[in-house]
Amino acid sequence: TATALGTVSGDGASAALTAGGFGEAVYTVSVTENIAGHNPIRAQVTLTSPPGANFDLDVTCTSCGGATQSSNNATGDDVIAVRRNDTSGVGDTYTIVITVRWTAAAACGNWGLTVAGNTGTGGLSCN
């Protein structure tokens, strides 16, 4: 079951959402459109694994047939950008599902997750 992490503005200023944990987790995040005519409505999801452990990141758009993008870096941060084109003035809000998956560990520690709105380029299209 996914936990609602919150909402970020995809085209304006908003505080980043954060989470952390030891095991696998699933979150939903709403990316909102707040400024009419601003294109695209975007966000960036960053997962930081603890030293000696590797967690991977999947992001799924609930629109467009559930398109998914994965980041499987063995070292360093896993980063996925999402975006949606502005098609109808204000109202192009969309929801993403974020999955943190355990891959391997030689040590224990907590991962950190950050979802920042109005940032990131390219990435998964949620149209």
Side-chain angles (χ1 to χ4, degrees):
T1 302
T3 300
L5 189 57
T7 300
V8 294
S9 174
D11 60 359
S14 68
L17 303 174
T18 59
F22 185 78
E24 296 183 326
V26 180
Y27 298 99
T28 59
V29 170
S30 180
V31 182
T32 63
E33 178 183 17
N34 302 103
I35 303 169
H38 191 279
N39 203 10
I41 300 109
R42 57 200 173 122
Q44 183 168 292
V45 182
T46 303
L47 174 68
T48 303
S49 292
N54 183 20
F55 288 86
D56 289 337
L57 179 64
D58 295 328
V59 176
T60 303
C61 290
T62 60
S63 58
C64 71
T68 299
Q69 185 169 335
S70 298
S71 179
N72 305 311
N73 292 334
T75 59
D77 292 346
D78 290 286
V79 179
I80 297 176
V82 296
R83 62 181 167 72
R84 181 174 197 167
N85 291 330
D86 183 357
T87 59
S88 64
V90 173
D92 286 315
T93 295
Y94 59 97
T95 300
I96 57 175
V97 178
I98 301 165
T99 305
V100 177
R101 297 179 289 110
W102 176 83
T103 303
C108 295
N110 289 342
W111 48 263
L113 182 72
T114 303
V115 182
N118 196 25
T119 188
T121 58
L124 181 63
S125 176
C126 294
N127 284 329

Coordinates of all heavy atoms in Angstrom, one line a residue, residues 2-110:
A2 N 0.5 2.2 -0.9 CA 1.3 3.4 -1.0 C 0.9 4.4 0.1 O -0.2 4.5 0.5 CB 1.1 4.0 -2.3
T3 N 1.9 5.1 0.6 CA 1.7 6.2 1.6 C 1.7 7.5 0.9 O 2.6 7.8 0.1 CB 2.8 6.2 2.6 OG1 2.8 4.9 3.3 CG2 2.7 7.3 3.6
A4 N 0.7 8.4 1.1 CA 0.7 9.7 0.5 C 1.8 10.6 1.1 O 1.7 10.9 2.3 CB -0.7 10.3 0.7
L5 N 2.8 11.0 0.3 CA 3.9 11.8 0.8 C 3.5 13.3 0.8 O 4.0 14.1 1.7 CB 5.1 11.6 0.0 CG 6.4 12.1 0.5 CD1 6.7 11.7 1.9 CD2 7.6 11.8 -0.4
G6 N 2.6 13.7 -0.1 CA 2.2 15.1 -0.2 C 2.1 15.6 -1.6 O 2.0 14.9 -2.5
T7 N 2.3 17.0 -1.7 CA 2.1 17.7 -2.9 C 3.2 18.7 -3.1 O 3.7 19.3 -2.2 CB 0.8 18.5 -2.9 OG1 -0.3 17.6 -2.7 CG2 0.5 19.3 -4.2
V8 N 3.7 18.7 -4.4 CA 4.7 19.8 -4.8 C 4.1 20.5 -6.0 O 3.4 20.0 -6.8 CB 6.1 19.2 -5.1 CG1 6.7 18.5 -3.9 CG2 6.0 18.2 -6.3
S9 N 4.5 21.8 -6.1 CA 4.1 22.6 -7.3 C 5.1 22.2 -8.4 O 6.3 22.3 -8.3 CB 4.2 24.1 -7.0 OG 3.9 24.8 -8.1
G10 N 4.5 21.9 -9.5 CA 5.3 21.5 -10.7 C 5.7 22.7 -11.5 O 6.5 22.6 -12.4
D11 N 5.2 23.9 -11.2 CA 5.5 25.1 -12.0 C 5.7 26.3 -11.2 O 5.7 27.4 -11.7 CB 4.4 25.3 -13.1 CG 3.0 25.5 -12.5 OD1 2.9 25.5 -11.3 OD2 2.1 25.7 -13.3
G12 N 5.8 26.2 -9.9 CA 6.1 27.3 -9.0 C 6.9 26.9 -7.8 O 7.3 25.8 -7.7
A13 N 7.1 27.8 -6.9 CA 7.8 27.5 -5.7 C 7.1 26.7 -4.7 O 5.9 26.9 -4.6 CB 8.2 28.8 -5.0
S14 N 7.7 25.7 -4.2 CA 7.1 24.9 -3.1 C 8.3 24.2 -2.4 O 9.3 24.0 -2.9 CB 6.1 23.9 -3.6 OG 6.7 22.9 -4.4
A15 N 8.0 23.8 -1.1 CA 9.0 23.1 -0.3 C 9.1 21.7 -0.9 O 8.2 21.1 -1.3 CB 8.6 23.1 1.1
A16 N 10.3 21.2 -0.8 CA 10.6 19.8 -1.2 C 10.0 18.8 -0.2 O 9.9 19.1 1.0 CB 12.1 19.5 -1.4
L17 N 9.5 17.7 -0.7 CA 9.0 16.6 0.2 C 10.2 15.7 0.5 O 11.0 15.4 -0.4 CB 7.9 15.8 -0.5 CG 6.7 16.6 -0.9 CD1 5.8 15.8 -1.7 CD2 6.0 17.3 0.3
T18 N 10.3 15.2 1.7 CA 11.4 14.2 2.1 C 10.8 13.0 2.8 O 9.8 13.1 3.5 CB 12.4 14.9 2.9 OG1 11.8 15.4 4.1 CG2 13.1 16.1 2.2
A19 N 11.5 11.9 2.7 CA 11.2 10.7 3.5 C 12.5 10.0 3.7 O 13.5 10.2 3.0 CB 10.2 9.9 2.8
G20 N 12.5 9.1 4.6 CA 13.7 8.2 4.8 C 13.2 6.9 5.4 O 12.1 6.8 5.9
G21 N 14.1 5.9 5.2 CA 13.7 4.6 5.8 C 14.8 3.6 5.7 O 15.9 3.9 5.1
F22 N 14.5 2.4 6.2 CA 15.5 1.3 6.2 C 15.2 0.2 5.2 O 16.1 -0.4 4.7 CB 15.5 0.7 7.7 CG 16.5 -0.3 7.9 CD1 17.8 0.0 8.1 CD2 16.2 -1.6 7.9 CE1 18.8 -0.9 8.3 CE2 17.1 -2.6 8.1 CZ 18.4 -2.3 8.3
G23 N 13.9 0.0 5.0 CA 13.5 -1.0 4.0 C 12.8 -0.5 2.8 O 12.9 0.7 2.5
E24 N 12.1 -1.3 2.1 CA 11.5 -0.9 0.9 C 10.2 -0.1 1.2 O 9.7 -0.2 2.3 CB 11.1 -2.1 0.0 CG 12.3 -2.9 -0.5 CD 11.9 -4.0 -1.4 OE1 10.9 -4.7 -1.1 OE2 12.7 -4.3 -2.3
A25 N 9.8 0.8 0.3 CA 8.7 1.7 0.6 C 8.0 2.1 -0.7 O 8.6 2.1 -1.8 CB 9.1 3.0 1.3
V26 N 6.7 2.5 -0.6 CA 6.0 3.0 -1.8 C 5.3 4.3 -1.4 O 4.6 4.3 -0.3 CB 5.0 2.0 -2.3 CG1 4.2 2.5 -3.5 CG2 5.7 0.7 -2.7
Y27 N 5.4 5.4 -2.2 CA 4.7 6.6 -1.9 C 4.0 7.2 -3.1 O 4.3 6.8 -4.2 CB 5.8 7.7 -1.5 CG 6.6 7.4 -0.3 CD1 7.9 6.8 -0.4 CD2 6.1 7.7 1.0 CE1 8.6 6.6 0.8 CE2 6.8 7.4 2.1 CZ 8.1 6.8 2.0 OH 8.8 6.6 3.1
T28 N 3.0 8.0 -2.9 CA 2.3 8.7 -3.9 C 2.6 10.2 -3.7 O 2.7 10.7 -2.5 CB 0.8 8.5 -4.0 OG1 0.2 8.9 -2.7 CG2 0.5 7.1 -4.3
V29 N 2.8 11.0 -4.8 CA 3.0 12.4 -4.7 C 2.2 13.0 -5.8 O 2.2 12.6 -7.0 CB 4.5 12.8 -4.9 CG1 4.7 14.3 -5.1 CG2 5.4 12.3 -3.8
S30 N 1.5 14.1 -5.5 CA 0.7 14.9 -6.4 C 1.6 16.1 -6.9 O 2.2 16.8 -6.1 CB -0.5 15.4 -5.7 OG -1.3 16.2 -6.7
V31 N 1.7 16.2 -8.2 CA 2.5 17.3 -8.8 C 1.5 18.2 -9.4 O 0.8 17.9 -10.3 CB 3.5 16.8 -9.9 CG1 4.3 18.0 -10.5 CG2 4.4 15.7 -9.3
T32 N 1.3 19.4 -8.8 CA 0.3 20.3 -9.2 C 0.7 21.4 -10.2 O 1.9 21.8 -10.2 CB -0.3 21.0 -8.0 OG1 0.7 21.9 -7.4 CG2 -0.9 20.1 -6.9
E33 N -0.3 21.9 -10.9 CA -0.1 23.0 -11.8 C -0.7 24.2 -11.1 O -1.9 24.2 -10.7 CB -0.8 22.8 -13.2 CG -0.6 24.1 -14.0 CD -1.3 23.9 -15.4 OE1 -2.2 23.1 -15.5 OE2 -1.0 24.7 -16.2
N34 N 0.0 25.3 -10.9 CA -0.5 26.4 -10.2 C -0.4 27.7 -11.0 O -1.0 28.7 -10.6 CB 0.4 26.7 -8.9 CG 0.3 25.5 -8.0 OD1 1.3 24.7 -7.9 ND2 -0.8 25.3 -7.3
I35 N 0.3 27.7 -12.1 CA 0.4 28.9 -13.0 C -0.1 28.6 -14.4 O 0.5 27.7 -15.1 CB 1.9 29.4 -13.0 CG1 2.4 29.7 -11.6 CG2 2.0 30.6 -13.9 CD1 3.9 29.9 -11.6
A36 N -1.2 29.2 -14.8 CA -1.7 28.9 -16.2 C -0.7 29.2 -17.2 O 0.0 30.2 -17.2 CB -3.0 29.7 -16.4
G37 N -0.6 28.3 -18.2 CA 0.3 28.6 -19.3 C 1.8 28.3 -19.1 O 2.6 28.5 -20.0
H38 N 2.1 27.8 -17.9 CA 3.5 27.5 -17.6 C 3.8 26.0 -18.0 O 3.1 25.1 -17.7 CB 3.8 27.6 -16.1 CG 5.3 27.6 -15.8 ND1 5.9 26.4 -15.6 CD2 6.2 28.6 -15.6 CE1 7.2 26.7 -15.4 NE2 7.4 28.0 -15.3
N39 N 4.8 25.9 -18.8 CA 5.1 24.5 -19.4 C 6.5 24.2 -19.3 O 7.4 25.0 -19.5 CB 4.7 24.6 -20.9 CG 4.4 23.3 -21.5 OD1 4.2 22.3 -20.8 ND2 4.3 23.3 -22.8
P40 N 6.9 23.0 -18.9 CA 6.1 21.9 -18.4 C 5.8 21.9 -16.9 O 6.5 22.7 -16.2 CB 6.9 20.7 -18.8 CG 8.3 21.1 -18.7 CD 8.3 22.6 -19.1
I41 N 5.0 21.0 -16.4 CA 4.7 20.9 -15.0 C 5.7 19.7 -14.6 O 5.5 18.6 -15.0 CB 3.3 20.6 -14.7 CG1 2.4 21.7 -15.2 CG2 3.0 20.3 -13.2 CD1 1.6 21.4 -16.4
R42 N 6.7 20.0 -13.8 CA 7.7 19.0 -13.6 C 8.2 18.8 -12.1 O 7.9 19.6 -11.3 CB 8.9 19.3 -14.4 CG 9.5 20.7 -14.1 CD 10.3 21.2 -15.3 NE 10.6 22.6 -14.9 CZ 11.9 23.1 -14.8 NH1 12.9 22.3 -15.1 NH2 12.1 24.3 -14.5
A43 N 8.8 17.7 -11.9 CA 9.4 17.4 -10.6 C 10.6 16.5 -10.7 O 10.8 15.8 -11.8 CB 8.3 16.7 -9.7
Q44 N 11.4 16.4 -9.7 CA 12.6 15.5 -9.7 C 12.6 14.7 -8.4 O 12.5 15.3 -7.3 CB 13.9 16.3 -9.8 CG 15.1 15.5 -9.9 CD 16.3 16.3 -10.3 OE1 16.4 16.7 -11.5 NE2 17.2 16.5 -9.4
V45 N 12.7 13.4 -8.6 CA 12.8 12.5 -7.4 C 14.2 12.0 -7.3 O 14.8 11.5 -8.2 CB 11.9 11.3 -7.7 CG1 11.9 10.3 -6.5 CG2 10.4 11.7 -8.0
T46 N 14.8 12.2 -6.1 CA 16.2 11.8 -5.8 C 16.2 10.8 -4.6 O 15.7 11.1 -3.6 CB 17.1 13.0 -5.5 OG1 17.0 13.9 -6.6 CG2 18.5 12.6 -5.3
L47 N 16.9 9.7 -4.8 CA 17.0 8.7 -3.8 C 18.5 8.5 -3.5 O 19.3 8.3 -4.4 CB 16.5 7.3 -4.2 CG 16.8 6.1 -3.3 CD1 16.0 6.3 -2.0 CD2 16.4 4.8 -4.0
T48 N 18.9 8.7 -2.2 CA 20.3 8.6 -1.8 C 20.4 7.3 -0.9 O 19.7 7.3 0.2 CB 20.7 9.8 -0.9 OG1 20.5 11.0 -1.8 CG2 22.2 9.7 -0.5
S49 N 21.2 6.4 -1.3 CA 21.4 5.1 -0.6 C 22.5 5.4 0.5 O 23.4 6.2 0.3 CB 21.8 4.0 -1.5 OG 20.8 3.6 -2.4
P50 N 22.4 4.7 1.6 CA 23.5 4.8 2.6 C 24.8 4.1 2.1 O 24.7 3.3 1.3 CB 22.9 4.1 3.8 CG 22.0 3.1 3.3 CD 21.4 3.7 2.0
P51 N 25.9 4.5 2.7 CA 27.2 3.9 2.3 C 27.1 2.4 2.6 O 26.6 1.9 3.6 CB 28.2 4.5 3.3 CG 27.6 5.8 3.7 CD 26.1 5.6 3.7
G52 N 27.5 1.6 1.6 CA 27.6 0.2 1.7 C 26.3 -0.5 1.4 O 26.2 -1.8 1.5
A53 N 25.3 0.2 0.9 CA 24.0 -0.4 0.6 C 23.5 0.2 -0.7 O 23.9 1.3 -1.1 CB 22.9 -0.1 1.7
N54 N 22.6 -0.5 -1.4 CA 22.1 0.0 -2.7 C 20.6 -0.2 -2.7 O 20.1 -1.4 -2.7 CB 22.8 -0.8 -3.9 CG 22.3 -0.3 -5.2 OD1 21.8 0.8 -5.3 ND2 22.5 -1.1 -6.2
F55 N 19.9 0.9 -2.8 CA 18.5 0.9 -3.1 C 18.2 1.5 -4.4 O 19.0 2.3 -4.9 CB 17.7 1.7 -2.0 CG 17.7 1.1 -0.6 CD1 18.8 1.3 0.2 CD2 16.6 0.3 -0.3 CE1 18.7 0.7 1.5 CE2 16.6 -0.3 1.0 CZ 17.7 -0.1 1.9
D56 N 17.2 1.0 -5.2 CA 16.9 1.5 -6.5 C 15.5 2.2 -6.5 O 14.7 2.0 -5.5 CB 16.9 0.3 -7.5 CG 18.3 -0.2 -7.8 OD1 19.3 0.6 -7.6 OD2 18.4 -1.3 -8.2
L57 N 15.3 2.9 -7.5 CA 14.1 3.8 -7.6 C 13.3 3.6 -8.8 O 13.9 3.5 -9.9 CB 14.7 5.3 -7.6 CG 13.7 6.4 -7.7 CD1 12.8 6.5 -6.4 CD2 14.5 7.7 -7.8
D58 N 12.0 3.4 -8.6 CA 11.0 3.4 -9.7 C 10.0 4.5 -9.5 O 9.6 4.7 -8.4 CB 10.3 2.0 -9.8 CG 11.1 0.8 -10.0 OD1 12.2 1.0 -10.7 OD2 10.8 -0.2 -9.5
V59 N 9.7 5.2 -10.6 CA 8.6 6.2 -10.6 C 7.6 5.8 -11.7 O 8.0 5.6 -12.9 CB 9.2 7.6 -10.8 CG1 8.1 8.6 -10.9 CG2 10.2 7.9 -9.7
T60 N 6.4 5.8 -11.3 CA 5.3 5.4 -12.2 C 4.3 6.6 -12.3 O 3.9 7.1 -11.2 CB 4.6 4.1 -11.8 OG1 5.5 3.1 -11.7 CG2 3.5 3.8 -12.8
C61 N 3.9 7.0 -13.5 CA 2.8 8.0 -13.7 C 1.5 7.2 -13.6 O 1.4 6.2 -14.3 CB 3.0 8.7 -15.0 SG 4.4 9.8 -15.1
T62 N 0.5 7.7 -12.9 CA -0.8 7.1 -12.8 C -1.5 7.4 -14.1 O -2.5 6.7 -14.4 CB -1.6 7.5 -11.6 OG1 -1.7 8.9 -11.6 CG2 -0.8 7.1 -10.3
S63 N -1.1 8.4 -14.9 CA -1.7 8.7 -16.2 C -0.9 8.0 -17.2 O 0.1 7.3 -16.9 CB -1.7 10.2 -16.4 OG -0.4 10.7 -16.4
C64 N -1.3 8.1 -18.5 CA -0.7 7.6 -19.7 C -0.4 6.1 -19.5 O 0.7 5.6 -19.9 CB 0.6 8.4 -20.1 SG 2.0 8.3 -19.1
G65 N -1.3 5.3 -19.0 CA -1.2 3.9 -19.0 C -0.1 3.4 -18.0 O 0.3 2.2 -18.1
G66 N 0.2 4.2 -17.0 CA 1.1 3.7 -16.0 C 2.6 3.6 -16.4 O 3.3 2.6 -16.1
A67 N 3.1 4.5 -17.3 CA 4.5 4.5 -17.7 C 5.4 4.5 -16.5 O 5.1 5.3 -15.6 CB 4.7 5.6 -18.7
T68 N 6.5 3.7 -16.5 CA 7.4 3.7 -15.4 C 8.8 3.9 -15.9 O 9.2 3.5 -17.0 CB 7.4 2.3 -14.7 OG1 6.1 2.0 -14.2 CG2 8.4 2.2 -13.6
Q69 N 9.6 4.6 -15.1 CA 11.0 4.8 -15.3 C 11.8 4.3 -14.1 O 11.3 4.5 -13.0 CB 11.4 6.3 -15.6 CG 12.8 6.5 -16.0 CD 13.1 7.8 -16.6 OE1 12.2 8.5 -17.1 NE2 14.3 8.3 -16.4
S70 N 12.9 3.7 -14.3 CA 13.7 3.1 -13.2 C 15.1 3.7 -13.2 O 15.6 4.1 -14.3 CB 13.8 1.6 -13.3 OG 12.6 1.0 -13.2
S71 N 15.7 3.9 -12.0 CA 17.1 4.3 -11.9 C 17.7 3.2 -11.0 O 17.3 3.0 -9.9 CB 17.2 5.6 -11.3 OG 18.5 6.0 -11.1
N72 N 18.8 2.6 -11.6 CA 19.4 1.4 -10.9 C 20.9 1.6 -10.7 O 21.7 0.7 -10.9 CB 19.2 0.1 -11.7 CG 17.7 -0.1 -12.0 OD1 16.9 0.0 -11.1 ND2 17.4 -0.3 -13.2
N73 N 21.3 2.8 -10.2 CA 22.7 3.1 -10.0 C 23.2 2.3 -8.9 O 22.6 2.2 -7.8 CB 22.9 4.6 -9.7 CG 22.6 5.5 -10.9 OD1 22.7 5.0 -12.1 ND2 22.2 6.7 -10.7
A74 N 24.4 1.6 -9.1 CA 25.0 0.9 -8.0 C 25.7 1.8 -7.0 O 25.8 1.4 -5.8 CB 26.0 -0.1 -8.6
T75 N 26.1 3.0 -7.5 CA 26.7 3.9 -6.6 C 26.2 5.3 -6.9 O 25.7 5.5 -8.0 CB 28.3 4.0 -6.8 OG1 28.6 4.3 -8.1 CG2 28.9 2.7 -6.4
G76 N 26.2 6.2 -6.0 CA 25.6 7.5 -6.2 C 24.1 7.6 -6.1 O 23.5 6.6 -5.8
D77 N 23.6 8.7 -6.3 CA 22.1 8.9 -6.2 C 21.4 8.4 -7.4 O 21.9 8.4 -8.5 CB 21.8 10.4 -6.1 CG 22.3 11.0 -4.8 OD1 22.6 10.3 -3.8 OD2 22.3 12.3 -4.7
D78 N 20.2 7.9 -7.1 CA 19.2 7.6 -8.2 C 18.3 8.8 -8.4 O 17.7 9.3 -7.4 CB 18.4 6.3 -7.8 CG 19.2 5.1 -7.8 OD1 19.6 4.6 -8.9 OD2 19.6 4.6 -6.7
V79 N 18.2 9.3 -9.7 CA 17.5 10.5 -9.9 C 16.5 10.2 -11.1 O 17.0 9.7 -12.2 CB 18.4 11.7 -10.3 CG1 17.6 12.9 -10.6 CG2 19.4 11.9 -9.1
I80 N 15.3 10.6 -11.0 CA 14.3 10.5 -12.0 C 13.5 11.8 -12.1 O 13.0 12.3 -11.1 CB 13.3 9.3 -11.8 CG1 14.1 8.0 -11.9 CG2 12.2 9.3 -12.9 CD1 13.3 6.8 -11.6
A81 N 13.5 12.4 -13.3 CA 12.7 13.6 -13.5 C 11.4 13.2 -14.2 O 11.3 12.3 -15.0 CB 13.4 14.6 -14.4
V82 N 10.3 13.9 -13.8 CA 9.0 13.7 -14.4 C 8.4 15.0 -14.9 O 8.8 16.0 -14.4 CB 7.9 13.0 -13.5 CG1 8.4 11.6 -13.1 CG2 7.7 13.9 -12.2
R83 N 7.6 14.9 -16.0 CA 7.0 16.2 -16.5 C 5.7 15.9 -17.2 O 5.4 14.8 -17.6 CB 8.0 16.8 -17.5 CG 8.2 15.9 -18.7 CD 9.2 16.6 -19.7 NE 9.6 15.6 -20.7 CZ 8.9 15.1 -21.7 NH1 7.6 15.5 -21.8 NH2 9.3 14.2 -22.5
R84 N 4.9 16.9 -17.3 CA 3.6 16.9 -18.0 C 3.5 18.2 -18.7 O 3.7 19.3 -18.1 CB 2.5 16.6 -17.1 CG 1.1 16.5 -17.8 CD 0.0 16.1 -16.8 NE -1.1 15.7 -17.6 CZ -2.1 15.0 -17.1 NH1 -2.2 14.8 -15.9 NH2 -3.1 14.7 -17.9
N85 N 3.1 18.2 -20.0 CA 2.9 19.4 -20.7 C 1.6 20.1 -20.3 O 0.6 19.4 -19.9 CB 2.8 19.1 -22.2 CG 4.1 18.7 -22.8 OD1 5.2 19.2 -22.3 ND2 4.1 17.9 -23.8
D86 N 1.6 21.4 -20.3 CA 0.4 22.2 -19.9 C -0.5 22.2 -21.1 O -0.2 22.8 -22.1 CB 0.9 23.6 -19.6 CG -0.3 24.5 -19.1 OD1 -1.4 24.0 -19.1 OD2 0.0 25.7 -18.7
T87 N -1.7 21.6 -20.9 CA -2.6 21.4 -22.0 C -3.9 22.2 -21.8 O -4.7 22.4 -22.8 CB -2.9 20.0 -22.3 OG1 -3.5 19.4 -21.1 CG2 -1.7 19.2 -22.7
S88 N -4.2 22.6 -20.6 CA -5.6 23.1 -20.3 C -5.6 24.3 -19.4 O -6.6 24.4 -18.6 CB -6.5 22.0 -19.8 OG -6.0 21.6 -18.5
G89 N -4.6 25.1 -19.4 CA -4.6 26.2 -18.4 C -4.2 25.7 -17.1 O -3.2 25.0 -17.0
V90 N -4.9 26.0 -16.0 CA -4.6 25.4 -14.7 C -5.5 24.2 -14.6 O -6.7 24.2 -14.8 CB -5.0 26.5 -13.6 CG1 -4.8 25.8 -12.2 CG2 -4.1 27.7 -13.7
G91 N -4.9 23.1 -14.2 CA -5.6 21.9 -13.9 C -4.9 20.6 -14.4 O -5.5 19.5 -14.5
D92 N -3.6 20.7 -14.9 CA -2.9 19.6 -15.4 C -2.1 18.9 -14.2 O -1.0 18.4 -14.4 CB -1.9 20.0 -16.5 CG -2.7 20.3 -17.8 OD1 -3.6 19.5 -18.1 OD2 -2.4 21.3 -18.4
T93 N -2.7 18.8 -13.1 CA -2.1 18.1 -11.9 C -2.1 16.6 -12.3 O -2.9 16.1 -12.9 CB -2.9 18.4 -10.7 OG1 -2.9 19.8 -10.4 CG2 -2.5 17.5 -9.5
Y94 N -1.0 15.9 -11.8 CA -0.9 14.5 -12.0 C -0.3 13.9 -10.7 O 0.3 14.5 -9.9 CB -0.1 14.1 -13.2 CG 1.3 14.7 -13.3 CD1 2.4 13.9 -12.9 CD2 1.6 16.0 -13.7 CE1 3.7 14.3 -13.0 CE2 2.9 16.5 -13.8 CZ 3.9 15.6 -13.4 OH 5.2 16.1 -13.5
T95 N -0.4 12.5 -10.6 CA 0.1 11.8 -9.5 C 1.2 10.8 -9.9 O 1.0 10.2 -11.0 CB -1.1 11.0 -8.8 OG1 -2.0 12.0 -8.4 CG2 -0.6 10.2 -7.6
I96 N 2.2 10.7 -9.2 CA 3.3 9.7 -9.4 C 3.3 8.8 -8.2 O 3.0 9.1 -7.1 CB 4.6 10.4 -9.7 CG1 5.1 11.3 -8.5 CG2 4.6 11.2 -11.0 CD1 6.5 11.8 -8.6
V97 N 3.7 7.5 -8.5 CA 4.0 6.5 -7.5 C 5.5 6.3 -7.5 O 6.1 6.0 -8.5 CB 3.2 5.2 -7.8 CG1 3.5 4.2 -6.8 CG2 1.7 5.5 -7.9
I98 N 6.1 6.4 -6.3 CA 7.5 6.2 -6.1 C 7.7 4.9 -5.3 O 7.2 4.8 -4.2 CB 8.1 7.4 -5.3 CG1 7.8 8.7 -6.1 CG2 9.6 7.2 -5.0 CD1 8.0 10.0 -5.2
T99 N 8.6 4.1 -5.9 CA 8.9 2.8 -5.2 C 10.4 2.8 -4.9 O 11.2 3.0 -5.8 CB 8.5 1.6 -6.1 OG1 7.2 1.7 -6.4 CG2 8.8 0.3 -5.4
V100 N 10.7 2.6 -3.7 CA 12.1 2.4 -3.2 C 12.3 0.9 -3.0 O 11.6 0.3 -2.2 CB 12.4 3.1 -1.9 CG1 13.8 2.9 -1.4 CG2 12.2 4.6 -2.1
R101 N 13.3 0.3 -3.8 CA 13.5 -1.1 -3.7 C 14.9 -1.4 -3.2 O 15.9 -0.8 -3.6 CB 13.4 -1.8 -5.1 CG 12.1 -1.7 -5.8 CD 12.0 -2.3 -7.2 NE 12.8 -1.5 -8.1 CZ 13.9 -1.8 -8.7 NH1 14.5 -2.9 -8.4 NH2 14.5 -1.0 -9.5
W102 N 15.0 -2.4 -2.3 CA 16.3 -2.9 -1.8 C 17.0 -3.7 -2.9 O 16.3 -4.6 -3.5 CB 16.1 -3.7 -0.5 CG 17.4 -4.3 0.0 CD1 18.4 -3.6 0.7 CD2 17.9 -5.6 -0.3 NE1 19.4 -4.4 1.0 CE2 19.2 -5.7 0.4 CE3 17.5 -6.7 -1.0 CZ2 20.0 -6.8 0.3 CZ3 18.2 -7.8 -1.0 CH2 19.5 -7.9 -0.3
T103 N 18.3 -3.5 -3.1 CA 19.0 -4.3 -4.1 C 20.1 -5.1 -3.5 O 20.2 -6.4 -3.7 CB 19.6 -3.4 -5.2 OG1 18.5 -2.7 -5.8 CG2 20.3 -4.2 -6.3
A104 N 21.0 -4.5 -2.7 CA 22.1 -5.2 -2.1 C 22.7 -4.4 -0.9 O 22.5 -3.2 -0.9 CB 23.2 -5.4 -3.1
A105 N 23.3 -5.1 0.0 CA 23.9 -4.3 1.1 C 25.1 -5.1 1.7 O 25.0 -6.3 1.9 CB 22.9 -4.0 2.2
A106 N 26.1 -4.4 2.0 CA 27.2 -4.9 2.8 C 27.3 -4.2 4.1 O 28.1 -4.5 5.0 CB 28.5 -4.7 2.0
A107 N 26.4 -3.3 4.3 CA 26.3 -2.5 5.5 C 24.8 -2.0 5.7 O 24.0 -2.1 4.8 CB 27.2 -1.3 5.5
C108 N 24.5 -1.6 6.9 CA 23.1 -1.1 7.2 C 23.1 0.4 7.2 O 24.1 1.1 7.5 CB 22.7 -1.7 8.5 SG 22.5 -3.4 8.5
G109 N 21.9 1.0 6.9 CA 21.8 2.4 7.0 C 20.5 2.8 6.4 O 19.8 2.0 5.7
N110 N 20.1 4.0 6.6 CA 18.8 4.6 6.1 C 19.0 5.3 4.8 O 20.0 6.0 4.6 CB 18.2 5.5 7.1 CG 17.6 4.8 8.3 OD1 17.4 3.6 8.3 ND2 17.4 5.6 9.3

